[in-house]
Amino acid sequence: MPNMNMVESVNSALDTMLSNDEDVIIFGEDVGYFGGVFRTSDGLQEKFGKHRVFDSPLSEGGIAATAFGMGINGLRPVVEIQFADYIFPAYDQIVNEMAKVRHRSGGEFWCPVTIRTPAGGGIRGGHHHSQSPEAQFTHTPGLKVVYCSTPYNAKGLLISAIEDNDPVIFFEPKRCYRGPFYGDPHNVPTWGGHPEAEVPESHYSIPLGQARLALEGNDCTVIAWGAMVHVCEQAIKDSGISCDLIDLQTLVPWDKEAIEESISKTGRCVIVHEAPKTSGFGAEMVASIQERCFWSLESPIERVTGWDTPFPHTTEWDYMPGPDRIAAAIAKTQEN
Amino acid sequence: MPNMNMVESVNSALDTMLSNDEDVIIFGEDVGYFGGVFRTSDGLQEKFGKHRVFDSPLSEGGIAATAFGMGINGLRPVVEIQFADYIFPAYDQIVNEMAKVRHRSGGEFWCPVTIRTPAGGGIRGGHHHSQSPEAQFTHTPGLKVVYCSTPYNAKGLLISAIEDNDPVIFFEPKRCYRGPFYGDPHNVPTWGGHPEAEVPESHYSIPLGQARLALEGNDCTVIAWGAMVHVCEQAIKDSGISCDLIDLQTLVPWDKEAIEESISKTGRCVIVHEAPKTSGFGAEMVASIQERCFWSLESPIERVTGWDTPFPHTTEWDYMPGPDRIAAAIAKTQEN
Amino acid sequence: MAGDSSDIPLHIPDAPHRPGDESEFTDWPWKPEDLGMLEMDCSAEESSEHATGLVRVLGDDNSASGKWNPNLSPEDLKMGLEYMLRLRIFDDRMMKMQRTGKLSFYMRSFGEEAVAIAQTMALETQDWLFPTYRQPGAQFVRGRDMVSMICHCIGNEEDNVKGRQMPVHYTYKEGRFISVSSPVGTQFSQAVGVALASRYKDLDEVTITWIGDGASAEGDYHYALNFAAIFKAPVILNVVNNQWAISTHSNFASGLQNFAIRGIPYGIPSIRVDGNDFLALFSVTRWARERASMGLGPTHIEVLTYRAGAHSSSDDPSRYRPHDENEYWPGGDPIDRLKDHLISIGEWTEKDHDELSEKLDSEVMGAYKEAVKFGDLANGPYPSSDAIFTEVYETPPWHLMEQWEEMKKWRDE
Amino acid sequence: MAGDSSDIPLHIPDAPHRPGDESEFTDWPWKPEDLGMLEMDCSAEESSEHATGLVRVLGDDNSASGKWNPNLSPEDLKMGLEYMLRLRIFDDRMMKMQRTGKLSFYMRSFGEEAVAIAQTMALETQDWLFPTYRQPGAQFVRGRDMVSMICHCIGNEEDNVKGRQMPVHYTYKEGRFISVSSPVGTQFSQAVGVALASRYKDLDEVTITWIGDGASAEGDYHYALNFAAIFKAPVILNVVNNQWAISTHSNFASGLQNFAIRGIPYGIPSIRVDGNDFLALFSVTRWARERASMGLGPTHIEVLTYRAGAHSSSDDPSRYRPHDENEYWPGGDPIDRLKDHLISIGEWTEKDHDELSEKLDSEVMGAYKEAVKFGDLANGPYPSSDAIFTEVYETPPWHLMEQWEEMKKWRDE
Ligand SMILES: Cc1ncc(C[n+]2csc(CCOP(=O)(O)OP(=O)(O)O)c2C)c(N)n1
Ligand SMILES: Cc1ncc(C[n+]2csc(CCOP(=O)(O)OP(=O)(O)O)c2C)c(N)n1
Ligand SMILES: [Mg+2]
Ligand SMILES: [Mg+2]
């Protein structure tokens, strides 16, 4: 099985779906001739023709609206928003339109659109090339929200997202495109040799709604998504505490069984995300877990998150949750 | 003291601020000549001139952007988004721009804009005249988020919002414009005679960040905002259980002292909002309370919310939390 | 230049007439003979005269003339007249239902009946319609049953939208009439995607869409024109300039009093058409359809008309414009004009008209009676609230299933 | 018509040249004599020729001529030359710093130096500048110290943005240069609000703003033109058409190859100007400022230029356009052109130029050395991360105070 980094595995998922399904069509800013500023669609225009893979005007709202129209008229568009920070001009089209069209039309029209977008920090992107706005989509019924973390799950989840008949917002942790990120900016490994970088060339899929148990343990449940999965892996090692590490993969709908099972085993929980704390998706996880598993909980669920501030440039390592903060939170759950 | 309904008290707040501060300027769709589709700016153009109160093009993004520019250049714009459902074309201008400009410019520029918008259901508005999108603003650092519930707090909070030097998103529960709403669509009281409808003509303010204790009790803390405050009042009566009813008023920043004090007294909590459950602001409240008051909690915190679906038209009473569901949740908190 | 705002530091436009003012419109300078046909492959610039002028066919003397005369058969004209009259009678009945609480809200097409009806008649049945709330009449052309339309407006059990949306938010896939959404403008840019999908599949399908003068200030308008022009989408982009956006005059929607010409710098041939002239509308739309079908890309049309009624059942226009302003609209009434034309060519009589009105009245009344059997808002029965949970996703995920169960518990208690 | 996409069912535009192609541009037909001055109170339509043509002052023979010649003094011209040359040398130094890890990212103004510099020189000091990342040069005109600019780009302790934003996201309130934001387009519509506030306060302040050819496809472009026209904002709205938006050619940004004319249907006088012609830029901007100041409202300008360098330090344009395409740009280089003009009128020599270059080189080098004393990205020291928590709000609310404490705990451990 070839070793792929996440840019390559995303590219491979797109390639697979372009080959398998004529209705798949790809567009976005710089995705066509150039192959995307992160190179995720590199070579695809040449291979499939420019009616299948093309550049669009610099207009996220227009991209979403066009995809909506194509979607309700039988195509399966996969569009890229160049950075997740730039998805907001398309927010109305996504939350008021795509999310609701199946329901509002009594099932007459639906919108099988996938919106891919690189998200998260760690590349010195400052305010507007670092945000991780997943929570802002999880509140909207009708959307599915996915956040991949490794080359393997990126391809498998992306294929599921494209094959899904509902609109899916698909976040890719840009810091992990070329290697896992363990929270130390001076340690820049590639995906080479990582087991999660063994990616089949051919079609496979990971069902939406299923979490991945990245590590297995007994004393605490650590829940994360995107780049934070790897940072948590490091933190768990550092903590010396035996933990389940749940890579949520799909945020809506999230994997109830996996979470409940783990919490009922461990009785303790830490949730980690890059986005600001207040009303981050961690809040929903805490709320749901305390509702569903209150009597299993031995200590308060901890959240380790970005601060409730814009994302900084020079000092981003003081912003993003690192292994130290996460390990401390894990330790804290063990106190009682 | 005159008795005002909430349309009148909002109008009175605007009138007061237009009189007190030349930098206050009001615009939005249909707010000028006509005085707003809910009549909240009725008479103000005539009184203050059309350079102070005027209509705008039908463009929420343009309204927000123009307000931003006016705000950083010394004015104090108060703009109306006709329905909260239509705020999303302005979402980028609000979350990426207004919220961040003070920080991004090292404090050189700031944006004292107030965005007023009627929100919530109960008027047979279907998908797009009923939403209550407060949670989608609480995740963005730099914004303050306010939700009034009565004529008295509408005026006092709106004045604070306008006087505040940060951008404030100000939600008005449209179902309560002309009377409190106790959850029974067949019971349509006016504000006449209600103690919260005694509204001074003159300037007064309610500090942002302060909750209102609407009812005092011992056995459960019920937290709500907007129209749900009144529904909760009914539910508490119906339940026969002694409850604190906390009208949150400001969601960001929320009133930590009030909540902690109440929870440490009651040990039980129900949070109620109209918006969908997943990632609603209730999630943040649950998460924060269990973090801060875990050892006081005698039973799981309950959320009573809208469903994770679009807002329906004909069957909206099966969607919105009613006194029955809330009372049952209160009762449930007493079980253990 | 500062005009009416010379006394204040901001320039704020105003409506030409407000309550208490005399309504006055300058006479239209445009005649059916003014404008020639445009070449199918004309450039945007070559359409300038058609964008600054006004395509008309029905003259002030009720005759049809000029290069744009589509020479429709009397049968087609009568069909158009019947659709328009049906819509007006239907609208009036629905307003009565709204006033008596049988439905929650309503929006009429009063004064603008020709727009969607003539334009849809000019298209092929495989063409896609992406309307706003002001084009329900297109459904008549596509054969939709009135009972089903009324059931939607009530939101009863037979509503194909299942009580989920407000009245007038029709969807009718069989007739390729795409679901109406409340946020104004969104359909305009989406329609370009619909059209591109047809093109991608190499089908001879054209998409038509409409946006209001007010809503053309939304970003979606700009997206639509830009994407349509760049990718040569087979789409017909109509701005229905009916002078008003609720209480806001079109003076607030554009710096100039012409919406048609906005298409030209995008590279889209653009035409302004008399929106109360059934024949002109038909003809211009037919032309645009042919261009699209030939692969020549989008056409941008300003439909110049007047919102003769209230914005909606929640609105009282006498608060912001002279109560009789509509009577002074130089474009007259679309039904009267087609009727008078048919009479003038000897194909119609007042008696025919009265008979038709009566027939339609009783059709509408019949449909109304049929529809309320399935329930009305005042009296029920209501559609099942199970519809809250279905079709949110293709298959309800677990959290919706749980909530659905909970809802049923409360509902069925 | 279907052109290059005749073989596929969608029409997809393309760039005129891609790697491997011969770069070729048709010669410009426009001469300095072509266009007359426009009346201050001209209508939008009256500006049509100026929008479809190109305002030039510097001819192919390096002389200045035509009605738009601003007749600047040699001192002013030399000042302009110095600013431009300083910017180019500054940019080159910053790129080197980026390449050596001393700062994280950089964007040059290469080939477009005239734009912000000539335009800002044409304004009054009380006027507001609302730039993108491609107009940092305006700060030189407004007197900003290079050390402070470099400190911002590094994001060190002396950065007035306190390390919060990426490099080139300058803010300089003293010079009325408003904070640059990454989301493209947003400033364009905001600038209209800035201008309206000045007007509301009855101050003689004009606002100038810029947007890229690519970004003009955002909704903000439409909002800006519409609001500016309707409320007659004293604003100068520039579309800098430098042919490219990263790898995407301006063929994807507009159906036509002209951005200027887009302003006309909004009712805004619109002009296209040679963006590498310092004198033409100055003159057109001066004219627009006067109109705005007289209460005549906005002006819309297409600045026709070419992005001679990479989009940013992250970009490699040779992957999507011929590596030497910039050399074929008919508009030449803005610095060379002004220099050659000064030489041709006997006010400058190659020797002067070399001396100036050297002087600026050492100025920039001096500033660089000064700036890195406060820290660079490779070596630190870094600004305090306390700045993460300040100025999020006017006063940090309790939850920020709590988190700030927690951050300090980790940082200071
Ligand atoms: C995005 C959005 N903003 C505001 C509204 C509220 N609204 C509904 S219709 C309307 C006026 C529309 O005017 P116009 O576009 O001219 O269409 P018309 O009603 O005249 O057909 C407004 C402001 C809305 N539905 N959607
Ligand atoms: C809203 C938004 N979308 C996407 C981007 C990413 N991006 C940054 S610059 C750029 C191209 C801009 O091109 P243009 O507007 O022509 O300006 P130029 O760089 O040529 O000066 C893109 C796509 C962004 N910064 N903001
Ligand atoms: Mg209208
Ligand atoms: Mg460009």
Side-chain angles (χ1 to χ4, degrees), chain B residues 22 52 59 62 65-66 68-70 73 93 97 102-104 106-109 142-143 165-166 254 256 292, chain D residues 161 164 171-173 179 181 186 189-190 194 198 200-201 220 223 227 387-388 390-391 393-394 398 402:
Chain B
E22 273 218 337
R52 307 277 320 267
S59 166
T66 304
F68 177 105
M70 289 174 165
N73 193 8
Q93 282 284 349
E97 296 291 316
R102 182 192 289 278
H103 193 71
R104 85 172 194 227
E108 286 194 345
F109 298 94
L143 300 179
N165 286 329
D166 291 310
W254 52 276
K256 176 175 58 116
R292 311 179 82 85
Chain D
V161 182
R164 292 168 181 161
T171 184
Y172 177 49
K173 188 168 194 174
S179 164
S181 191
T186 50
S189 47
Q190 292 162 358
V194 174
S198 295
Y200 178 85
K201 293 184 274 179
D220 286 298
Y223 310 151
F227 278 68
I388 294 175
T390 51
E391 290 161 331
Y393 297 92
E394 189 178 35
W398 65 266
E402 281 189 5

Side-chain angles (χ1 to χ4, degrees), chain A residues 29 60 82 86, chain D residues 133-134 182 184 212-215 242 244-245 311:
Chain A
E29 295 158 17
E60 295 76 14
Q82 200 165 85
Y86 304 136
Chain D
Y133 46 76
R134 209 80 77 188
S182 304
V184 297
D213 49 304
N242 65 1
W244 292 93
H311 172 70

Side-chain angles (χ1 to χ4, degrees), chain B residues 314-329:
Chain B
T314 315
T315 59
E316 68 177 330
W317 309 116
D318 285 324
Y319 181 90
M320 287 179 80
D324 50 356
R325 283 172 59 199
I326 300 167

Side-chain angles (χ1 to χ4, degrees), chain A residues 31-50:
Chain A
V31 312
Y33 185 89
F34 185 49
V37 296
F38 289 101
R39 328 290 313 125
T40 42
S41 48
D42 193 24
L44 298 178
Q45 180 176 83
E46 216 176 348
K47 181 166 175 188
F48 294 97
K50 61 182 188 164

